Amino acid sequence: MIRLDKFLADMEEGTRQEVKKYIRQGRVFVDGVPAKKPELKIDETKQKVFFDQREIRYRQFEYYMLNKPAGVVSATEDFSDRTVIELIEERRRKDLFPVGRLDKDTEGLLLITNDGALAHRLLSPRHHVDKCYYARVEGIVTGEDKRRFLEGVNIGTQDMPEQTAPGKLEILEVDKQQGTSEILLTIQEGKYHQVKRMFEAAGKKVCYLRRESMGSLTLDKDLKPGQYRRLTDEELKSL
Ligand code: URA
């Protein structure tokens, strides 16, 4: 059950104040009867809501693909920094959250939703969801690094080891003169600063990091950093 004004605001028919006005104006019908009270509780799964003769169906969950820009934090609220949720400028629902975290300086694919069950499935280590990152690295990445990453590396210390699960490293380009490399790394975990720490363990430094994919979801090349769009039905089904 949900309040009629919340139902309409969630479906982006207006702000809470605007939809209250529309309801009082008699423009909203519930099961064929004009509903004049914004606080009317309705069953969003069964009752039929019409606004200006248009049927409004309730979507319980929202799914956005964001190309996270550097400089914003993966949180719902923050005292000092802009959050990824603030980038969703539509009349966004209050219960949206980012699925997992990217560092403040990391760019790329971030799913924003209010579907807790899906988030759990994508993040739970038990489900082994691949996350693929593109990185520019200071240092020459070698076949030896590939082999070490495949075995898993210690990203902790000698005294407090923290072993990663295997990661698949692909070398895209090596610039011997500049001493830099471009790589793709696919991992299934999400330890704190994991990609950066894996390269640190190999004596190299990540200077740019972008997430390219998560499970079946791939970053849309048309989205510039800071842009987002709703997931398509196909993307949602494949998740
Ligand atoms: N690994 C990192 O080091 N940072 C990220 O943001 C994501 C993965």
Side-chain angles (χ1 to χ4, degrees):
M1 299 291 277
I2 181 173
R3 278 175 62 124
L4 183 57
D5 55 354
K6 179 167 178 1
F7 178 110
L8 289 169
D10 281 354
M11 292 307 94
E12 298 167 2
E13 293 300 328
T15 62
R16 201 73 176 249
Q17 285 313 311
E18 285 165 349
V19 301
K20 277 183 183 162
K21 192 176 69 191
Y22 305 149
I23 294 167
R24 293 209 180 89
Q25 287 169 342
R27 292 163 65 182
V28 180
F29 285 65
V30 176
D31 291 338
V33 181
K36 291 277 182 76
K37 292 207 169 99
E39 64 274 17
L40 177 73
K41 284 263 170 87
I42 59 165
D43 181 344
E44 72 277 16
T45 62
K46 293 205 179 79
Q47 292 186 278
K48 289 207 173 301
V49 177
F50 280 76
F51 171 40
D52 284 350
Q53 281 91 49
R54 263 182 314 120
E55 181 171 8
I56 312 296
R57 296 238 174 96
Y58 195 74
R59 287 186 311 274
Q60 191 181 0
F61 298 121
E62 303 285 351
Y63 305 89
Y64 297 99
M65 173 190 294
L66 169 71
N67 184 352
K68 179 191 170 298
V72 299
V73 293
S74 302
T76 49
E77 280 175 20
D78 195 271
F79 287 117
S80 50
D81 288 309
R82 216 162 165 223
T83 72
V84 289
I85 299 299
E86 288 167 46
L87 297 174
I88 310 294
E89 281 168 347
E90 287 165 39
R91 299 188 184 104
R92 63 191 136 86
R93 294 167 64 149
K94 301 269 184 289
D95 51 358
L96 292 177
F97 61 87
V99 177
R101 280 170 189 272
L102 292 175
D103 297 337
K104 187 172 166 184
D105 61 355
T106 300
E107 294 186 352
L109 176 68
L110 193 60
L111 177 62
I112 309 277
T113 185
N114 57 341
D115 183 345
L118 176 71
H120 178 73
R121 237 184 302 131
L122 289 172
L123 295 176
S124 151
R126 276 194 307 126
H127 288 98
H128 302 291
V129 173
D130 278 344
K131 279 150 264 186
C132 179
Y133 295 88
Y134 164 87
R136 277 198 298 273
V137 177
E138 275 173 23
I140 306 294
V141 179
T142 62
E144 171 64 12
D145 295 321
K146 274 169 84 160
R147 199 187 54 69
R148 283 187 64 203
F149 280 20
L150 254 190
E151 284 174 359
V153 288
N154 176 16
I155 57 172
T157 59
Q158 291 254 300
D159 297 341
M160 290 246 283
E162 191 178 355
Q163 192 72 16
T164 71
K168 191 170 150 273
L169 180 58
E170 188 185 333
I171 302 170
L172 299 176
E173 220 168 289
V174 169
D175 184 332
K176 287 205 166 128
Q177 274 181 341
Q178 300 273 339
T180 57
S181 313
E182 289 176 56
I183 62 91
L184 290 174
L185 176 61
T186 304
I187 54 176
Q188 295 181 335
E189 301 168 296
K191 293 185 193 294
Y192 183 64
H193 294 334
Q194 181 159 345
V195 175
K196 293 172 185 164
R197 287 162 73 204
M198 287 176 81
F199 279 100
E200 262 165 41
K204 295 165 183 91
K205 185 170 186 293
V206 170
C207 45
Y208 172 81
L209 186 60
R210 180 175 69 225
R211 183 155 61 194
E212 295 288 333
S213 66
M214 185 173 190
S216 59
L217 201 60
T218 300
L219 180 64
D220 186 331
K221 295 270 179 279
D222 290 336
L223 293 177
K224 298 194 178 69
Q227 293 185 327
Y228 64 91
R229 65 160 171 78
R230 282 182 194 281
L231 291 197
T232 63
D233 290 343
E234 287 73 42
E235 285 170 335
L236 199 52
K237 249 183 249 150
S238 73
L239 273 181

